Amino acid sequence: MKSIIFIAPPAAGKGTQSSMVAKKYNIPHISTGDLLREAAKEKSERGEYISNQMQTGGLVRDDVTTELLIERLQKDDCNNGYILDGFPRNVEQAKIYDDILAKLNKDLGIVILLDLDFDTAMKRSVGRLNCPKCGKIYNSMYDNMKPQVEGICDDCHSILSQRADDTYETFKKRYQTYLDLTIPLLDFYESKGNLYRVDSSKDKDKVFKTIVEILEK
Ligand code: AMP
């Protein structure tokens, strides 16, 4: 299986699609956001720094992020391909990633852009709620995704929670960071001939079908 990099603005479904692809092809889903969220819990200067950056919507320093990533990519479950979600996020990181791949003797694989406009991404992000107990996802901005009782999980009746970085202000900053830093990555991968674009405004099963077609081409 080829490795896959997902590039996307916030709330374009990167996490959801990564999980679906990981399940279908039995390869690990590596999210730098998740690696960083875990490291942010450490009671250390590094943990505090990561936590602050994430809460304000800025990027975490490359040396911190790549250290966590290299550690993860060296695990055995990455030998038959993996999904990279959230890395690289800028051209600098893409160049660092090329070096990491060369050192670990791995191929780049394919790069998939999950394309989504600002307004749709904003509604998906700012309205996003999840159940901390059973994991069910809701969205307060879409009638067909609202919980029956505001703030309460339909299935297990737990109190729903919002990700700390899903506020409007943080969303705006994250989207702007994506436009400024991540969009230039598309040229970088287009020139290597590895880039595929997928319209991520469609429902998640349609997006998934398109991704599978690309992977099996
Ligand atoms: P995500 O879960 O991918 O939306 O990432 C959440 C946050 O983690 C981002 O807003 C950044 O603060 C941080 N982050 C995730 N991936 C990276 C990366 N590749 N480089 C720097 N910061 C990152």
Side-chain angles (χ1 to χ4, degrees), residues 137-199:
I137 307 276
Y138 297 87
N139 193 302
S140 60
M141 297 228 183
Y142 292 96
D143 284 342
N144 62 348
M145 288 183 73
K146 282 182 183 167
Q148 281 160 17
V149 178
E150 198 184 323
I152 305 288
C153 179
D154 295 347
D155 292 352
C156 72
H157 312 295
S158 301
I159 295 177
L160 300 176
S161 61
Q162 195 182 29
R163 248 171 64 169
D165 58 359
D166 276 340
T167 63
Y168 181 68
E169 279 315 310
T170 306
F171 169 80
K172 242 179 28 188
K173 178 147 183 225
R174 291 171 74 210
Y175 199 92
Q176 195 57 47
T177 304
Y178 166 77
L179 294 180
D180 295 342
L181 302 178
T182 308
I183 287 283
L185 259 187
L186 303 181
D187 286 343
F188 183 86
Y189 285 126
E190 190 124 61
S191 67
K192 286 178 183 265
N194 295 56
L195 183 72
Y196 295 82
R197 292 168 195 264
V198 174
D199 175 2

Side-chain angles (χ1 to χ4, degrees), residues 22-143:
K23 194 165 165 214
K24 181 169 170 72
Y25 296 101
N26 196 24
I27 53 175
H29 166 201
I30 301 171
S31 148
T32 45
D34 286 347
L35 293 177
L36 288 164
R37 264 184 285 278
E38 208 42 49
K41 292 181 192 159
E42 290 166 11
K43 300 251 167 303
S44 65
E45 217 172 283
R46 183 176 86 163
E48 223 166 273
Y49 159 74
I50 296 173
S51 171
N52 279 340
Q53 285 303 104
M54 291 182 82
Q55 270 181 35
T56 53
L59 290 186
V60 174
R61 279 199 331 260
D62 288 347
D63 58 330
V64 175
T65 310
T66 49
E67 189 188 347
L68 294 168
L69 180 65
I70 292 170
E71 231 171 71
R72 180 63 187 89
L73 292 181
Q74 283 174 308
K75 296 199 172 151
D76 286 349
D77 63 346
C78 293
N79 290 344
N80 297 318
Y82 51 86
I83 298 156
L84 202 47
D85 155 7
F87 189 97
R89 258 185 159 82
N90 55 39
V91 174
E92 198 49 46
Q93 288 187 354
K95 291 181 181 160
I96 296 172
Y97 187 55
D98 277 349
D99 293 341
I100 296 175
L101 290 174
K103 277 198 198 107
L104 300 182
N105 207 12
K106 291 183 188 292
D107 289 332
L108 172 63
I110 67 168
V111 180
I112 297 179
L113 167 71
L114 297 176
D115 209 4
L116 194 66
D117 64 277
F118 177 90
D119 283 344
T120 314
M122 189 276 289
K123 282 190 186 159
R124 286 191 187 175
S125 169
V126 178
R128 178 159 59 187
L129 294 167
N130 78 298
C131 175
K133 190 153 174 235
C134 71
K136 190 163 176 178
I137 307 276
Y138 297 87
N139 193 302
S140 60
M141 297 228 183
Y142 292 96
D143 284 342

